[in-house]
Amino acid sequence: MSIRAFAGNCQPALCSIASRVEKKGRVSMSGVVALKVVKLKAIEATPETFKEFGQVIGPSADGEEFGPQDAQLDLSRGVPRFYIMHLEDRPLKFSNITHHARVTQCLGSIGGHPWYLGVAKPSIVVPSDKVKEVAGSDGKDIKVSCWGHSYVPPAVDDVCVFRIDGSKFLKLNHGTWHAGPLFRADAMDFYNLELSNTNMVDHTTHDFQKEDGVIFLLED
């Protein structure tokens, strides 16, 4: 789905590529920390760089049999919806990030024009998980979504941003946090594959500005 201001730790190799520059806010007389801007360097989306979050799918030859190179979809919990999504005014910044717990999602730009997506690894908590194994070192508590599933909010340092262009699309795993699509153009069209009611019954959002005092700016 589209998230207007929306969207795990990056692999060590990627974190060196995705350099971060933080502008720390000043502490006021009342002790309230001002807004902090975190700048993210975009990573080129490839099957290897994006594997913690989902898949990057490129062209295949006509007649090629289905295999692991194809999008591994789960649309089993509702009626699939495949549509063209028209978006306007999506600048390269965000403070909200979202996930869908019940479905995989595919996003790609019409015409292969460049676009960007902020992401963080899935953090859905299943009953067998132990709190200490999923809560992370930042000590964030497990929360329960209004849709009934439990999750750990993403940490600021967990967020990466990817650049996508050309004849390819992204498949997001269940629960992958995502912010976007974002782009430089005034408007773009995207094809979107999810469920017919994803936006209504499976839309969990974390507000970094409200919860962490942070907004993200993309650099490319």
Side-chain angles (χ1 to χ4, degrees):
M1 68 160 294
S2 164
I3 305 93
R4 173 170 290 274
F6 291 173
N9 292 324
C10 294
Q11 301 170 38
L14 297 184
C15 287
S16 63
I17 299 173
S19 61
R20 301 165 185 270
V21 180
E22 295 189 356
K23 179 181 178 181
K24 297 183 180 297
R26 298 178 180 176
V27 179
S28 68
M29 295 295 292
S30 64
V32 177
V33 178
L35 193 64
K36 181 171 66 175
V37 176
V38 176
K39 297 181 180 180
L40 300 176
K41 180 78 173 176
I43 304 165
E44 192 68 26
T46 68
E48 178 63 26
T49 61
F50 198 72
K51 65 183 180 180
E52 290 188 294
F53 314 102
Q55 295 175 272
V56 177
I57 309 297
S60 57
D62 184 30
E64 182 177 338
E65 293 187 0
F66 177 81
Q69 76 282 359
D70 294 294
Q72 307 298 305
L73 305 175
D74 181 1
L75 303 168
S76 61
R77 299 191 183 184
V79 176
R81 182 188 184 196
F82 182 57
Y83 63 104
I84 294 176
M85 179 173 65
H86 179 73
L87 301 179
E88 298 179 358
D89 187 25
R90 298 295 193 269
L92 307 187
K93 61 182 179 179
F94 63 93
S95 58
N96 287 359
I97 197 164
T98 195
H99 75 223
H100 311 307
R102 303 177 184 178
V103 66
T104 57
Q105 182 183 16
C106 292
L107 290 167
S109 67
I110 303 296
H113 304 296
W115 58 286
Y116 303 82
L117 193 72
V119 296
K121 287 195 302 185
S123 56
I124 296 172
V125 178
V126 299
S128 60
D129 286 332
K130 296 179 182 179
V131 173
K132 66 180 181 180
E133 293 177 345
V134 296
S137 60
D138 59 7
K140 286 191 175 182
D141 296 330
I142 292 176
K143 294 189 176 183
V144 178
S145 167
C146 59
W147 314 119
H149 67 277
S150 298
Y151 68 96
V152 175
V156 171
D157 289 342
D158 290 343
V159 178
C160 300
V161 61
F162 286 87
R163 183 181 189 274
I164 308 95
D165 64 357
S167 300
K168 65 183 70 168
F169 68 89
L170 299 183
K171 187 221 79 177
L172 304 179
N173 290 337
H174 291 86
T176 291
W177 295 96
H178 54 286
L182 308 171
F183 43 84
R184 296 184 185 278
D186 293 334
M188 285 183 64
D189 293 331
F190 293 82
Y191 49 88
N192 189 348
L193 176 61
E194 52 189 7
L195 296 181
S196 60
N197 60 354
T198 293
N199 294 347
M200 296 178 287
V201 302
D202 186 18
H203 182 286
T204 301
T205 299
H206 178 75
D207 186 337
F208 281 105
Q209 183 169 336
K210 178 181 177 181
E211 302 294 335
D212 306 278
V214 164
I215 62 172
F216 295 95
L217 295 180
L218 282 59
E219 295 184 327
D220 188 36

